[in-house]
Amino acid sequence: MTAPAGIVWLASFPKSGNTWFRIFLANLAAGENGPADINNLDERGGIASSRHEFEAATMLDSGLLSHDDIDGLRPHVYERIASEAKEQRWIKVHDAYTALPDGEPMLGRSARAAIYLVRDPRDVAVSLSHHNNTDIDGAIAMMNDSSSAFSRKSKGLPQQLRQKLLGWSGHAASWIDQTDVPVHVVRYEALRADPMTHFSAALAFAERPAAADDIACAIRHADFSELQRQESEKGFAERQSRSAPFFRSGRVGGWQDVLSTEQVARIEEAHAPLMHRLGYSMLGR
């Protein structure tokens, strides 16, 4: 039995375990020959916001286009990827699930399935501040801003296309409530506590066959200690410049030692409905 060809979105708000999941997949593909090189993961599916892939597919200079022009062309890029796929492609995506002015989904309608990773927003705030090289208040402001986006600066040409995030709640709701693509929600905390069960369930949802021994091997090779070792020795190409190490502890609940009472309240007040819905207990309620 082989996995059906096509796109599987590996979607998440930034700093919610997406890269860890991709590295697990890379190690699953590598088998016992791993651990996979953390700087050689693109062949496992790629990143939806890749400017290089957009330009290769459209034969256009993206620097001459507006963000909205690019968004309007992106569905065609994914339609092409899906139609040409000879195997299953798990593609990382941080974009919220949004619609174009004509009502069509910006990510197109060609994907077979989506795995949506969600993480306690209080831990996301801590990790995002390190990733963006900002203070925690700045990270919280970004998560609470329904117009937030990655890579939208007008100067320079980032490697990534603009990605609308819609804030933490808006992002989660956009993926969980959309009805175009079958979606399987995975809590980062559950994945850390029992990776065998939850990686296996995600693979089963995507109809990606894998033996239990192979999954266990991939989990070992994707352990955070291994990722930290590789990053310390040769860096990580996807890390933002000047930021802290990309692979930190991956700890669950670390926010309790870092966030102030006021910072926790700002997050909980902004995201209470989604936190309740996704099973996150709150201090203030």
Side-chain angles (χ1 to χ4, degrees), residues 30 94 105 126 153 162 199 207 236 249 260:
H94 283 323
V126 177
K153 62 184 179 181
R162 180 189 64 177
F199 275 127
E207 300 181 70
F236 182 44
S249 67
S260 69

Side-chain angles (χ1 to χ4, degrees), residues 69-90:
D69 289 338
I70 291 172
D71 282 356
L73 292 168
R74 287 178 66 178
H76 304 291
V77 174
Y78 308 128
E79 297 287 349
R80 175 175 172 175
I81 291 172
S83 67
E84 295 179 349
K86 306 297 184 188
E87 58 187 11
Q88 195 168 88
R89 290 191 61 176
W90 292 63

Side-chain angles (χ1 to χ4, degrees), residues 133-285:
N133 198 26
T134 63
D135 59 24
I136 289 176
D137 287 328
I140 294 173
M142 183 176 183
M143 294 171 63
N144 291 0
D145 180 1
S146 61
S147 66
S148 60
F150 261 8
S151 302
R152 65 177 174 187
K153 62 184 179 181
S154 57
K155 295 183 179 179
L157 201 60
Q159 293 182 354
Q160 303 293 315
L161 304 173
R162 180 189 64 177
Q163 300 145 72
K164 293 180 179 179
L165 299 178
L166 311 184
W168 185 84
S169 288
H171 194 283
S174 76
W175 276 98
I176 296 170
D177 293 337
Q178 59 80 29
T179 58
D180 297 321
V181 184
V183 60
H184 176 72
V185 180
V186 181
R187 283 184 20 143
Y188 174 82
E189 294 77 17
L191 202 57
R192 290 288 288 160
D194 187 356
M196 188 69 192
T197 293
H198 296 286
F199 275 127
S200 298
L203 293 173
F205 182 80
E207 300 181 70
R208 199 296 192 187
D213 287 349
D214 293 336
I215 295 173
C217 180
I219 291 171
R220 289 195 302 274
H221 288 157
D223 187 84
F224 270 72
S225 62
E226 169 61 22
L227 308 185
Q228 291 166 344
R229 181 191 67 78
Q230 288 195 37
E231 184 176 12
S232 68
E233 291 180 358
K234 54 191 176 186
F236 182 44
E238 296 179 26
R239 187 178 72 181
Q240 299 288 317
S241 62
R242 298 183 301 166
S243 69
F246 189 95
F247 299 106
R248 299 171 59 248
S249 67
R251 180 184 170 197
V252 171
W255 62 269
Q256 297 175 76
D257 300 327
V258 179
L259 299 184
S260 69
T261 301
E262 187 274 335
Q263 289 169 332
V264 172
R266 286 173 58 202
I267 295 171
E268 293 184 352
E269 288 172 4
H271 305 294
L274 258 294
M275 290 180 71
H276 276 303
R277 182 178 174 186
L278 293 166
Y280 292 111
S281 61
M282 297 187 289
L283 295 181
R285 297 171 188 272

Side-chain angles (χ1 to χ4, degrees), residues 26-37:
N27 279 294
L28 188 64
E32 295 182 354
N33 295 323
D37 185 342

Side-chain angles (χ1 to χ4, degrees), residues 121-131 136 139 248 254-255 258-259:
R122 295 161 294 197
D123 275 333
V124 172
V126 177
S127 187
L128 189 63
S129 71
H130 287 280
H131 180 73
I136 289 176
R248 299 171 59 248
W255 62 269
V258 179
L259 299 184

Side-chain angles (χ1 to χ4, degrees), residues 30-101:
E32 295 182 354
N33 295 323
D37 185 342
I38 62 174
N39 289 306
N40 187 26
L41 302 174
D42 285 349
E43 74 277 14
R44 306 305 173 199
I47 300 174
S49 58
S50 167
R51 186 177 298 276
H52 171 75
E53 185 134 22
F54 173 87
E55 293 187 340
T58 62
M59 304 292 287
L60 295 171
D61 182 348
S62 62
L64 301 176
L65 304 174
S66 70
H67 291 311
D68 289 343
D69 289 338
I70 291 172
D71 282 356
L73 292 168
R74 287 178 66 178
H76 304 291
V77 174
Y78 308 128
E79 297 287 349
R80 175 175 172 175
I81 291 172
S83 67
E84 295 179 349
K86 306 297 184 188
E87 58 187 11
Q88 195 168 88
R89 290 191 61 176
W90 292 63
I91 300 181
K92 173 180 178 177
V93 55
H94 283 323
D95 299 85
Y97 197 88
T98 59
L100 297 169

